[in-house]
Amino acid sequence: MAESVGLAKRDEVTEKLTIKDVAESLGVSESTVSRAISGKGRIGEATRRRVFDYIEEHNYMPGIGSNGLISGRTRNICWVMPGDCNVVEIPFFQQCMTGLLEVTETFGYNLLVTSSSQNDISHLKNLVGNRKADGIVLARTNVDDLAIDFLKGKKVPFLAIGSYDDENVLRVDHDHKAACKEFTSMLILKGCEKIGLIGGNKRLIVNLSRYAGYEEAMVQAGRSADQGLVYMDVENYVAAEIAVEELLRKRVDCLLCTDDSICLYVLNKLNKENVEVPHNVKVGSFYDSSLLENRIPAISSIDFDACELGRNAGKILIDYMEGKEVNTNNLFGYEIRLKESTKDY
């Protein structure tokens, strides 16, 4: 399933710059320009900055080495990992990167890896400032995303994995909102009357999308989304324990978790309190992973193919870099897996 919101096409470069052109315009030698571009040899920072400012002003991306100024390509694509992700999130990003790597290798690109966090994008700034890559893939989107705001002001093409409220930003994502709405609706139809939600960091757009799906399902079923049954910003076991304790006191008959790590916290707490799943309370996760494998009972969840998402991200970005028209917003499908943890007894 894919959704297109507008088309994007990269501007064509109309002027072929050479090292000689840049040198003459700036009043420096050709060897100085070559050293600035390659990063080799001694050259002052002010001079290097003048060279790159001139190239950027004329809408041209230099590569690494003197020939790169003519081709305008480094043949590098950079994968920007969230530097503040936790251990249990890493497999998702690794799978995305594996899919991305398959595509970059097929099209003759190298894959560079760096990191950024919600509050620190210094590594990304250095990479872009040194013209190390032809394109950037951001592994995650945040509310008020510093990386996106920075890249929008640069000429390097980029794509974000995740939803974002800007139709000019090239992005790919799974349809988390639709998936979580459908999953919640199915549990309502199975007879769940009081469904609690335990979710992660609200600065991560994926968590907001999953909550929005839950909320829409409740409203569609003629129920208000009772905020007393919703616990967000749950990022550790202690917070999850508190949420479970309070929701059990409110006599929920189903606990939904926005991701696999939170679901694992919930299951451990329920086991500790001798609360049986699904006899006493049903449990479901809005994200499936190896963390939930071999659980007894088996956990109902939503499967998103992270590797395929990475492949799609790579193909769409490369098409965009090559001047082809692409959809700016690309949403892909999911599979709901109902198992024993939400079974009726």
Side-chain angles (χ1 to χ4, degrees), residues 175-196:
D175 198 344
H176 295 280
K177 183 178 178 180
C180 297
K181 177 181 179 180
E182 183 178 346
F183 189 26
T184 306
S185 296
M186 292 171 74
L187 295 177
I188 292 172
L189 289 173
K190 283 174 64 66
C192 293
E193 293 289 341
K194 206 170 185 180
I195 303 175

Side-chain angles (χ1 to χ4, degrees), residues 176-297:
H176 295 280
K177 183 178 178 180
C180 297
K181 177 181 179 180
E182 183 178 346
F183 189 26
T184 306
S185 296
M186 292 171 74
L187 295 177
I188 292 172
L189 289 173
K190 283 174 64 66
C192 293
E193 293 289 341
K194 206 170 185 180
I195 303 175
L197 179 71
I198 304 178
N201 190 333
K202 288 189 294 186
R203 285 193 63 185
L204 303 183
I205 292 178
V206 63
N207 288 330
L208 296 179
S209 297
R210 290 173 180 174
Y211 167 73
Y214 160 86
E215 183 179 43
E216 282 197 8
M218 299 295 283
V219 172
Q220 182 175 284
R223 307 179 185 182
S224 61
D226 185 349
Q227 293 305 303
L229 301 181
V230 176
Y231 291 76
M232 298 295 290
D233 289 321
V234 173
E235 299 186 81
N236 55 56
Y237 182 67
V238 174
E241 274 198 328
I242 294 171
V244 171
E245 288 171 359
E246 294 186 4
L247 286 168
L248 289 177
R249 282 199 296 269
K250 294 173 183 178
R251 299 187 180 281
V252 297
D253 55 8
C254 181
L255 289 170
L256 291 179
C257 310
T258 59
D259 63 50
D260 51 341
S261 60
I262 291 175
C263 189
L264 190 61
Y265 293 150
V266 168
L267 292 170
N268 289 339
K269 174 61 174 175
L270 293 175
N271 183 62
K272 181 178 175 181
E273 298 297 325
N274 296 313
V275 177
E276 293 188 30
V277 178
H279 299 277
N280 301 128
V281 65
K282 296 178 173 62
V283 174
S285 173
F286 286 163
Y287 182 68
D288 188 25
S289 79
S290 58
L291 283 180
L292 303 180
E293 286 181 357
N294 303 317
R295 298 292 306 191
I296 299 175

Side-chain angles (χ1 to χ4, degrees), residues 8 29 87 91 93 110 122 137 143 185 217 243 275 281:
S29 68
V87 173
F93 296 118
N110 303 304
S122 56
V137 179
V143 176
S185 296
V275 177
V281 65

Side-chain angles (χ1 to χ4, degrees), residues 28-225:
V28 298
S29 68
E30 292 181 33
S31 62
T32 295
V33 176
S34 179
R35 288 198 299 273
I37 296 167
S38 67
K40 298 177 181 178
R42 299 182 62 182
I43 184 172
E45 176 61 25
T47 301
R48 187 189 71 83
R49 189 71 262 168
R50 284 181 64 212
V51 170
F52 281 120
D53 285 346
Y54 180 88
I55 292 168
E56 183 170 328
E57 180 183 347
H58 289 77
N59 199 27
Y60 214 91
M61 284 288 293
I64 305 301
S66 59
N67 291 332
L69 188 57
I70 298 173
S71 68
R73 306 294 287 273
T74 68
R75 305 304 298 182
N76 294 331
I77 287 175
C78 182
W79 169 246
V80 185
M81 278 276 294
D84 51 358
C85 66
N86 59 48
V87 173
V88 295
E89 292 178 302
I90 290 176
F92 171 82
F93 296 118
Q94 287 178 331
Q95 291 169 32
C96 273
M97 187 174 70
T98 298
L100 177 61
L101 183 61
E102 290 178 18
V103 172
T104 54
E105 287 182 338
T106 298
F107 285 86
Y109 285 87
N110 303 304
L111 189 64
L112 307 181
V113 180
T114 190
S115 65
S116 68
S117 66
Q118 293 178 359
N119 301 311
D120 183 4
I121 60 169
S122 56
H123 295 307
L124 176 62
K125 286 183 174 179
N126 289 337
L127 183 136
V128 172
N130 290 317
R131 309 304 200 275
K132 295 291 187 181
D134 297 332
I136 307 287
V137 179
L138 301 175
R140 185 167 71 186
T141 56
N142 304 303
V143 176
D144 300 322
D145 199 298
L146 293 180
I148 289 178
D149 288 344
F150 167 71
L151 290 171
K152 283 167 64 177
K154 301 298 177 180
K155 291 186 170 61
V156 58
F158 74 96
L159 176 147
I161 292 183
S163 299
Y164 199 72
D165 190 20
D166 185 338
E167 292 186 2
N168 295 315
V169 173
L170 190 63
R171 56 214 187 275
V172 302
D173 199 10
H174 291 116
D175 198 344
H176 295 280
K177 183 178 178 180
C180 297
K181 177 181 179 180
E182 183 178 346
F183 189 26
T184 306
S185 296
M186 292 171 74
L187 295 177
I188 292 172
L189 289 173
K190 283 174 64 66
C192 293
E193 293 289 341
K194 206 170 185 180
I195 303 175
L197 179 71
I198 304 178
N201 190 333
K202 288 189 294 186
R203 285 193 63 185
L204 303 183
I205 292 178
V206 63
N207 288 330
L208 296 179
S209 297
R210 290 173 180 174
Y211 167 73
Y214 160 86
E215 183 179 43
E216 282 197 8
M218 299 295 283
V219 172
Q220 182 175 284
R223 307 179 185 182
S224 61

Side-chain angles (χ1 to χ4, degrees), residues 299-313:
I299 306 302
S300 295
S301 58
I302 306 174
D303 180 59
F304 300 103
D305 191 335
C307 191
E308 184 63 23
L309 191 65
R311 294 190 196 100
N312 286 318

